[in-house]
Amino acid sequence: MGDYTFNYDGKRIPVSVAERRKRKKIYDYYGASGKIDKIDNFLFSKPLLLISEDGANLLARSKPIAFVAYGKYWVNNHAHIMDSINIDVLKFIANYINATKLDQYITGTAQPKLNQQNLNKILIPVPPVNEQKRINDQLFKISQFLEGASK
């Protein structure tokens, strides 16, 4: 992972719940498991891959732990922020991470954590970009089908 992505963790800024209550609700505010609030400013305005850094969901997997954020948004210190050469690579990595057991990279039991050092050690298979896009498209079609079937 570390050789295939750029890490922007140094640009994360947490904002307390009390502080967020005082702010207008305009832009998405992301944490470890997705959007958790709205805030009046943004840190990022391009698609980036967010990967949970900590929390029980790293092991339980009740929600995806990797997802691409779009638009203008803010990220707190509970999600790693990753970039790569294009959006298809980010989507491919998100799909791979969500389909892979990562227990060997997670430390802690009471509060599971995927630190940056261990995140960078995750081995990612790297097919050609056009194959990554094909895989992403197929997985999207499957998820749309499953979503429709559950309604």
Side-chain angles (χ1 to χ4, degrees):
M1 175 82 81
D3 293 335
Y4 201 52
T5 59
F6 307 101
N7 187 298
Y8 297 149
D9 285 1
K11 297 181 179 192
R12 304 177 299 184
I13 301 174
V15 180
S16 70
V17 173
E19 179 62 28
R20 291 194 315 266
R21 283 188 189 125
K22 299 175 191 174
R23 297 185 179 199
K24 291 181 181 178
K25 307 296 183 184
I26 302 170
Y27 303 104
D28 292 331
Y29 181 85
Y30 284 90
S33 296
K35 296 174 195 172
I36 59 172
D37 203 350
K38 295 270 193 179
I39 196 164
D40 62 352
N41 206 344
F42 62 93
L43 297 173
F44 304 98
S45 60
K46 67 179 274 187
L48 294 170
L49 173 62
L50 305 184
I51 301 174
S52 298
E53 181 174 351
D54 51 30
N57 191 49
L58 280 171
L59 298 172
R61 300 290 186 101
S62 57
K63 297 179 184 177
I65 64 167
F67 44 92
V68 177
Y70 296 92
K72 294 177 179 178
Y73 54 93
W74 192 288
V75 181
N76 72 17
N77 59 325
H78 295 284
H80 294 289
I81 306 167
M82 313 300 285
D83 198 3
S84 195
I85 58 174
N86 68 44
I87 189 67
D88 289 313
V89 172
L90 295 177
K91 289 178 185 177
F92 178 80
I93 294 171
N95 287 324
Y96 180 79
I97 292 293
N98 286 325
T100 303
K101 188 173 181 176
L102 301 175
D103 294 9
Q104 66 185 352
Y105 302 103
I106 297 170
T107 60
T109 51
Q111 176 68 348
K113 184 169 183 73
L114 176 60
N115 64 37
Q116 190 177 106
Q117 181 180 3
N118 286 346
L119 176 69
N120 288 333
K121 291 178 186 176
I122 297 172
L123 298 175
I124 304 286
V126 185
V129 173
N130 61 339
E131 180 67 6
Q132 292 175 35
K133 183 172 179 4
R134 189 190 69 72
I135 292 167
N136 290 338
D137 291 345
Q138 288 298 316
L139 289 172
F140 178 76
K141 288 176 187 176
I142 291 168
S143 70
Q144 293 297 100
F145 173 78
L146 292 174
E147 187 177 296
S150 68
K151 290 183 180 180

